[in-house]
Amino acid sequence: MTQTTQPSARTRLTRTLAILGSIVLIGAVMWQLLPKGSFSNDLTRVGQGQPALVMLREVHVMGGDLVMEQMLHIHPEFENTVEFLVVHTGHPDGQAFARDHNISDGSLVLFDGNGEVLGRRGRPESPDALRQFIANLLES
């Protein structure tokens, strides 16, 4: 005859709290991985009369997250004069864009209103560097 012992109330409570804590932790990590901004990925907006800043985003690389935050930071200053776009390498348009412009995650391409490339750059180190990149090229 086999005797089974039931877990004590304390053991059940500890197990339940550990499971709930794990769920909360996983949820928090997933929340952090969600996109931080909502810039369009519609490349047909390039060359429609307004300058466009396009950033290439690789979902599995963290550097683009920092550039996205910089873009969100300066967007209010430029929202009436520059179209902010983000293309992802997980989409064929993003892959083609990366190939055509020879860029990688977090890199930027600024187009004039006619769709001509004004300049390219890798990940800026700060919102000020991004602001200066845009301002300098739009002044020329």
Side-chain angles (χ1 to χ4, degrees):
M1 206 147 95
T2 307
Q3 184 176 355
T4 58
T5 58
Q6 295 293 324
S8 69
R10 183 179 187 148
T11 302
R12 286 193 309 267
L13 178 61
T14 302
R15 184 179 304 149
T16 301
L17 290 175
I19 290 170
L20 289 174
S22 297
I23 291 170
V24 168
L25 180 63
I26 290 168
V29 168
M30 291 180 73
W31 179 263
Q32 290 296 315
L33 293 175
L34 288 173
K36 304 285 190 278
S38 57
F39 295 118
S40 174
N41 64 355
D42 182 5
L43 291 176
T44 64
R45 292 176 159 184
V46 174
Q48 298 300 311
Q50 184 173 20
L53 178 71
V54 182
M55 195 258 297
L56 181 71
R57 180 76 178 97
E58 292 186 40
V59 178
H60 304 294
V61 180
M62 295 302 291
D65 271 353
L66 299 174
V67 178
M68 181 74 77
E69 299 223 2
Q70 293 170 3
M71 289 173 66
L72 287 167
H73 185 78
I74 68 162
H75 181 259
E77 300 168 46
F78 292 98
E79 68 183 324
N80 295 322
T81 56
V82 177
E83 185 81 40
F84 282 64
L85 305 169
V86 175
V87 294
H88 298 269
T89 57
H91 190 275
D93 288 346
Q95 294 168 5
F97 188 83
R99 244 186 345 269
D100 293 347
H101 296 283
N102 194 28
I103 59 173
S104 60
D105 179 63
S107 295
L108 302 154
V109 181
L110 183 63
F111 296 89
D112 68 12
N114 296 318
E116 298 296 320
V117 174
L118 293 174
R120 293 176 185 81
R121 76 158 294 154
R123 295 180 198 144
E125 54 279 355
S126 68
D128 287 334
L130 177 55
R131 181 182 296 109
Q132 197 64 43
F133 168 72
I134 296 169
N136 287 346
L137 290 174
L138 290 181
E139 288 175 0
S140 342

